[in-house]
Amino acid sequence: MTEKKTSRILPIWLALTPLVLLMVMLVFTVRAFGDESLGGPSQIVMLAASAVCCVIGIWVGKVRWREFENHIAKSISQVSSAMVILLFIGALGGAWMVSGVVPMMIYYGLDVIHPSVFLVSTCVISAVVSVMTGSSWTTIATIGVALMGIGKAQGFDEGWIAGAIISGAYFGDKVSPLSDTTVLASSVCRVNLFAHIRFMMITTIPSFLIALSVFLVAGFSHTAIDNGHLAACQEAITGRFNISIWLLVVPVATVVMIAKRLPALVTMFASTLLGVVFALLFQAGIVAEIADGDLFRGAMRAVYGSTAIQTSNPMLDQLVATRGMEGMLSTVWLILCAMCFGATMTAGGMTAGITRLFIRFAHGRISTVGSTVATGLVLNNTVADQYMGILLSCNVFREIYDKNGLEPRLLSRATEDSVTVTSVLVPWNTCGMTQSTVLGVATLTYLPYCFFNILSPLMSIVVAATGFRCSRPAKGEHADPDVSHPVGQGHTTLT
């Protein structure tokens, strides 16, 4: 598809109109519908904002309607695999819960993780798993769900728990050589993968250490919950589920498949199937109860539909309730509408108009990095997808960095600092919608506690202000020998 350029440059106030209108309408929608806003009202708001983009693009920018259709089709095709993965995340969550895998993790986690260090432990565990898997989505959908249950049982606020999980998961996603966003950013900016990762450590490690410090202080400030309550929760788990160490086979097998670099869809499907098999082996009574004695129907319903497993503990009842694939449909619907908004913003010339504003200020080192960070944040809000945000940021600023004598690694780092880690903070971004659905916590509820994600773009600007390793070395004097080599990591496709 060829992109037709608008016949005139949109003024910044007109380019920002759809985005401002979207934010205002979402505020009123959330106030009016509350938790039900994702069930349809927010989708209508997205489409209404998309319609405004089309009107401005056609009347002012002289863009043909066909261009909007092409951009929408292309935008949706780019997230089609992500939507299928999202459905499998719902299936995996249902299978892991009914099989007893997640209850088993909660049971042992209450014994192992002390409440005083729970938040910092959660952040570190999520980071380690994410580094190994290279995927924040997989980390949050598996170990993140279990940690959410442990934290609630220990009396922590869901915003704090989700913030610790997301901070750790996106730290690992950002620095893992297995991460698709890391590979994408380094490739588009023409930087060696491992040189890119090492350069990111300059901003990533300080941000992560500060986040860990905050979680550590918050954990020790947490009012200790009665041990009898935790014991009652464990008793309720063992009274309803058959807890066995053999259930660890399911998550271990999943980690092995991820380490073998199997496609995400294959891993998700195999892990879900394994969860169903273990549910029939260890929790046959629960599976039969789900469908009035029919094991086959019970197993199917655990994967695709909602299940409510009754225990002796009301709080545990909420933790072990699942929604399966069915529970992800509203999010898939919202992603489709968000992609329409992003596509119409791009086709109508609004995204280019907003980006052009930041490029005007990209002259010195600090202003260039600051403009890159600001552009990344805006793109996360406008195109609503981190992959498109990374591609656009790198392509827009690559020549500017070269012209200003700045390291290409500085561009790839600033892009990841601003796009990758903040995508989960935007309610209508694919990442924000997904993690909010998986964890069952509203995006704006966990946003203030995602300290690593908030600090990363700020740290990128602070380090740029110091000038540390920001200028391009003279020819033949590379600060890092890997930079002189082309990408060449063997990663040609995104997982």
Side-chain angles (χ1 to χ4, degrees):
M1 301 178 186
T2 59
E3 181 178 346
K4 181 181 181 294
K5 296 182 179 179
T6 54
S7 58
R8 57 172 297 186
I9 298 175
L10 297 179
I12 186 62
W13 68 268
L14 193 57
L16 285 171
T17 297
L19 182 60
V20 173
L21 181 63
L22 172 65
M23 293 180 176
V24 172
M25 288 192 296
L26 283 175
V27 169
F28 281 100
T29 300
V30 172
R31 290 183 61 182
F33 292 92
D35 294 338
E36 299 177 359
S37 60
L38 295 180
S42 295
Q43 287 86 333
I44 295 175
V45 168
M46 286 283 183
L47 294 178
S50 301
V52 173
C53 292
C54 293
V55 171
I56 294 175
I58 292 173
W59 284 4
V60 180
K62 307 302 180 185
V63 181
R64 294 178 303 174
W65 172 251
R66 183 62 179 170
E67 293 299 318
F68 288 103
E69 291 183 332
N70 290 343
H71 275 78
I72 291 173
K74 183 178 180 180
S75 181
I76 292 177
S77 68
Q78 289 171 337
V79 296
S80 57
S81 61
M83 289 189 290
V84 177
I85 289 175
L86 188 59
L87 292 176
F88 270 109
I89 286 176
L92 182 144
W96 277 33
M97 190 67 74
V98 173
S99 66
V101 171
V102 173
M104 178 265 297
M105 291 181 176
I106 295 174
Y107 179 84
Y108 290 117
L110 291 174
D111 277 336
V112 175
I113 305 177
H114 192 275
S116 297
V117 294
F118 169 75
L119 290 176
V120 70
S121 298
T122 293
C123 191
V124 171
I125 291 171
S126 299
V128 171
V129 174
S130 189
V131 169
M132 292 190 301
T133 62
S135 171
S136 56
W137 284 33
T138 303
T139 300
I140 293 172
T142 51
I143 192 65
V145 174
L147 291 169
M148 197 78 197
I150 297 171
K152 285 186 176 181
Q154 292 183 343
F156 284 94
D157 180 84
E158 61 181 13
W160 276 100
I161 307 169
I165 295 170
I166 291 171
S167 291
Y170 276 81
F171 166 82
D173 192 319
K174 184 181 175 186
V175 303
S176 174
L178 304 178
S179 170
D180 48 8
T181 55
T182 304
V183 173
L184 179 63
S186 61
S187 299
V188 177
C189 293
R190 301 170 185 173
V191 177
N192 177 275
L193 175 62
F194 293 101
H196 166 64
I197 292 174
R198 284 193 292 271
F199 203 66
M200 280 199 299
M201 293 298 182
I202 300 172
T203 58
T204 303
I205 295 299
S207 299
F208 191 60
L209 290 178
I210 294 173
L212 289 179
S213 301
V214 174
F215 288 129
L216 185 62
V217 172
F220 277 101
S221 303
H222 176 67
T223 303
I225 195 168
D226 182 13
N227 287 333
H229 174 78
L230 299 181
C233 184
Q234 289 181 308
E235 184 178 347
I237 292 175
T238 55
R240 197 69 174 90
F241 294 90
N242 180 18
I243 301 300
S244 170
I245 198 69
W246 287 104
L247 291 171
L248 280 173
V249 170
V250 180
V252 169
T254 303
V255 171
V256 171
M257 286 186 284
I258 294 171
K260 293 291 186 181
R261 302 298 306 275
L262 293 179
L265 288 176
V266 174
T267 300
M268 290 287 183
F269 176 79
S271 184
T272 300
L273 184 60
L274 196 59
V276 171
V277 171
F278 273 69
L280 294 172
L281 291 175
F282 289 90
Q283 322 295 342
I286 295 177
V287 176
E289 183 181 311
I290 292 174
D292 300 324
D294 191 323
L295 287 175
F296 177 75
R297 288 181 58 200
M300 292 289 285
R301 185 170 296 173
V303 172
Y304 77 80
S306 301
T307 60
I309 303 172
Q310 299 297 320
T311 69
S312 60
N313 189 309
M315 185 192 70
L316 186 62
D317 291 349
Q318 297 179 358
L319 293 179
V320 299
T322 66
R323 295 179 295 169
M325 284 185 170
E326 186 178 67
M328 297 294 173
L329 292 179
S330 293
T331 305
V332 171
W333 180 15
L334 193 58
I335 289 175
L336 287 172
C337 295
M339 290 300 100
C340 289
F341 173 70
T344 52
M345 281 284 290
T346 302
M350 275 64 78
T351 299
I354 297 172
T355 304
R356 191 177 294 108
L357 173 67
F358 297 111
I359 293 177
R360 293 176 185 174
F361 300 101
H363 301 296
R365 181 183 64 251
I366 301 175
S367 61
T368 301
V369 172
S371 297
T372 306
V373 170
T375 299
L377 296 175
V378 169
L379 289 173
N380 263 339
N381 282 273
T382 54
V383 300
D385 180 71
Q386 63 177 343
Y387 299 111
M388 288 300 297
I390 291 172
L391 286 168
L392 290 173
S393 291
C394 291
N395 285 323
V396 165
F397 283 94
R398 193 164 56 205
E399 292 185 6
I400 296 175
Y401 274 70
D402 186 64
K403 177 182 177 181
N404 293 341
L406 298 174
E407 274 271 23
R409 292 180 300 178
L410 186 60
L411 171 58
S412 62
R413 184 179 73 189
T415 300
E416 286 238 66
D417 283 340
S418 59
V419 179
T420 301
V421 298
T422 64
S423 58
V424 71
L425 306 180
V426 181
W428 54 87
N429 191 285
T430 53
C431 292
M433 289 182 284
T434 298
Q435 311 315 346
S436 174
T437 302
V438 172
L439 294 176
V441 183
T443 308
L444 297 181
T445 299
Y446 65 65
L447 188 155
Y449 307 101
C450 296
F451 300 107
F452 171 74
N453 307 69
I454 295 171
L455 287 169
S456 288
L458 299 176
M459 189 64 67
S460 191
I461 298 174
V462 169
V463 173
T466 67
F468 182 64
R469 299 181 69 181
C470 292
S471 298
R472 183 189 297 275
K475 187 176 181 181
E477 298 179 2
H478 288 286
D480 191 322
D482 286 335
V483 180
S484 60
H485 300 135
V487 177
Q489 281 83 38
H491 299 284
T492 55
T493 57
L494 301 183
T495 56

